[in-house]
C-alpha cells in the first residue's frame, strides 16, 4: 500500500528489522484466537471472556515491546501512540479476564471502549508515521480503521447475543491478524529491496568488489 519505490533510511530499515518477529507474533496471536473463536462461537460467555481477554492483553504486551524496540530501547522517551494503545490493551485484557462475574453487556462495553481508544491511538500514530515516513504507516491506518469499526459496532450493540458477538469478534481478529501479517510481509519486502538497491549501488562504485 505504501510507495514501494521510495527509499527507506538506514534508521527505518533498522527499526523494521527489530520489529519483524514481534509483528509476526502479534499477527499469529490474533489469527489463532480468531480461528478458535470462529469454530467455537457458542461456547458461552466465560469462554469468550477468557479468549478475548487473553488475546487483547497479549496484543498489548507485544505493542509495548514493539514501542521499546522501535525507539531503540532507550529510557525516558515520550509516550507514543503504539505505547498508549499497548497499555490500554493490557488494562482492558486484564480487566476482562480478572472480572469473573462480568455480564455480556459489560464485556461488550469494555471491549468496545478498548477498540475505540486503541483505534484512535493507532490512527494518530499512522498519521504521524505518514508525515515522518515510518515503516508500515499505511497498514497501521488500516488496522486503526478495523479497531474503530469494531468499537463503534460493539458500543452501538445491535444485539446482546453472545454467539453473534463472538462471531463478530472472530471476524475482527481474523481480519486484523491478516492485515498485520500482510503489512509485516510488505515491510520485509521493502527492506529487502532497499538492501538490494544499496548493494547494487556499492557494486557499481569504482573499485568495488564484484
Amino acid at each position: 500500500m505504501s510507495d514501494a519505490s521510495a527509499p527507506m533510511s538506514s534508521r527505518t530499515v533498522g527499526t523494521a528489522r527489530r520489529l519483524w518477529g514481534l509483528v509476526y507474533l502479534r499477527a499469529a496471536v490474533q489469527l489463532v484466537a480468531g480461528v478458535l473463536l470462529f469454530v467455537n462461537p457458542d461456547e458461552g460467555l466465560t469462554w469468550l471472556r477468557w479468549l478475548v481477554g487473553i488475546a487483547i492483553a497479549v496484543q498489548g504486551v507485544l505493542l509495548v515491546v514493539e514501542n521499546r524496540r522501535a525507539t531503540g530501547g532507550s529510557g525516558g522517551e515520550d509516550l507514543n501512540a503504539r505505547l498508549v494503545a499497548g497499555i490500554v490493551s493490557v488494562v482492558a485484557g486484564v480487566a476482562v479476564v480478572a472480572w469473573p462475574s462480568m455480564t455480556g453487556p459489560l464485556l461488550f462495553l469494555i471491549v468496545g471502549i478498548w477498540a475505540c481508544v486503541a483505534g484512535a491511538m493507532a490512527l494518530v500514530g499512522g498519521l504521524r508515521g505518514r508525515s515522518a515516513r515510518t515503516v508500515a504507516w499505511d497498514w497501521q491506518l488500516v488496522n486503526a480503521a478495523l479497531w474503530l469499526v469494531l468499537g463503534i459496532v460493539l458500543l452501538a450493540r445491535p444485539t446482546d447475543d453472545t454467539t453473534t458477538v463472538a462471531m463478530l469478534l472472530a471476524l475482527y481478529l481474523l481480519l486484523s491478524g491478516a492485515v498485520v501479517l500482510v503489512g509485516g510481509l510488505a515491510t520485509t519486502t521493502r527492506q529487502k529491496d532497499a538492501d538490494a538497491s544499496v548493494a547494487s549501488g556499492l557494486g557499481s562504485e569504482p573499485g568495488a568488489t564484484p
Side-chain angles (χ1 to χ4, degrees), residues 8-210:
M8 292 192 295
S9 67
S10 59
R11 181 177 180 181
T12 297
V13 171
T15 298
R17 284 173 173 157
R18 288 195 295 271
L19 296 182
W20 281 354
L22 291 173
V23 169
Y24 294 146
L25 180 58
R26 184 153 54 93
V29 169
Q30 293 184 21
L31 289 171
V32 169
V35 170
L36 289 175
L37 197 53
F38 190 79
V39 298
N40 297 287
D42 54 354
E43 288 293 319
L45 182 60
T46 301
W47 158 259
L48 177 63
R49 182 170 58 83
W50 274 92
L51 184 60
V52 172
I54 290 173
I56 291 175
V58 170
Q59 178 175 256
V61 171
L62 292 175
L63 283 170
V64 171
V65 177
E66 283 179 29
N67 171 74
R68 290 194 59 80
R69 290 200 175 185
T71 56
S74 58
E77 65 271 9
D78 293 335
L79 291 177
N80 62 20
R82 183 188 281 110
L83 180 58
V84 174
I87 293 173
V88 170
S89 297
V90 171
V91 172
V94 171
V96 168
V97 171
W99 198 333
S101 60
M102 180 176 292
T103 62
L106 183 56
L107 170 64
F108 307 152
L109 176 63
I110 291 178
V111 175
I113 293 174
W114 158 77
C116 285
V117 173
M121 291 299 100
L123 180 62
V124 170
L127 293 175
R128 288 178 177 175
R130 181 177 183 275
S131 299
R133 284 190 60 251
T134 56
V135 177
W137 62 265
D138 42 4
W139 296 102
Q140 188 175 2
L141 287 179
V142 174
N143 211 24
L146 290 176
W147 262 330
L148 289 171
V149 169
L150 173 70
I152 292 171
V153 170
L154 286 181
L155 291 179
R157 204 166 66 246
T159 177
D160 285 333
D161 180 65
T162 302
T163 300
T164 301
V165 175
M167 292 294 291
L168 174 63
L169 291 171
L171 179 61
Y172 158 75
L173 289 168
L174 291 172
L175 288 176
S176 180
V179 167
V180 173
L181 178 60
V182 173
L185 292 173
T187 303
T188 301
T189 301
R190 287 194 66 201
Q191 190 276 324
K192 289 181 179 178
D193 290 343
D195 283 348
S197 297
V198 171
S200 176
L202 291 175
S204 63
E205 293 179 359
T209 303

